[in-house]
Amino acid sequence: FIINSNISNFINLTSLKISKSLVNIINVDSIVNLEKLVELNLSYNNIKILPEDFGNLINLTKLDLSHNKISILPDNFTNLI
């Protein structure tokens, strides 16, 4: 399952839960454009790589990427701290 760019149309979205959905790819234009996103739960999927722009989600206060297959984080991931 791929999270595609259609989700980026919900620009006022503040919370998103896509857990246990067999997600393995996050399209770079999908979640990273959701600037108002505060909570994101992508747990229990098959994600291996996060888009490089993932660190641009600077309003995130709650992020759950547990139980995925991520082995390396994007360089700008520290922007989330």
Side-chain angles (χ1 to χ4, degrees), residues 27-73:
N27 183 315
V28 71
D29 295 326
S30 58
I31 293 177
V32 295
N33 293 325
L34 300 175
E35 297 175 357
K36 295 182 181 180
L37 202 60
V38 175
E39 292 185 36
L40 177 59
N41 184 337
L42 295 170
S43 62
Y44 292 93
N45 283 294
N46 294 314
I47 300 169
K48 295 178 184 175
I49 299 172
L50 295 175
E52 193 61 39
D53 292 338
F54 200 85
N56 293 344
L57 297 172
I58 58 173
N59 290 316
L60 276 182
T61 58
K62 194 173 195 179
L63 174 63
D64 190 347
L65 296 169
S66 63
H67 303 280
N68 279 286
K69 299 176 182 182
I70 301 168
S71 59
I72 190 165
L73 297 173

Side-chain angles (χ1 to χ4, degrees), residues 14-30:
T14 58
S15 181
L16 179 61
K17 181 178 181 181
I18 308 177
S19 63
K20 300 178 184 176
S21 300
L22 301 175
V23 172
N24 54 9
I25 297 175
I26 302 172
N27 183 315
V28 71
D29 295 326
S30 58

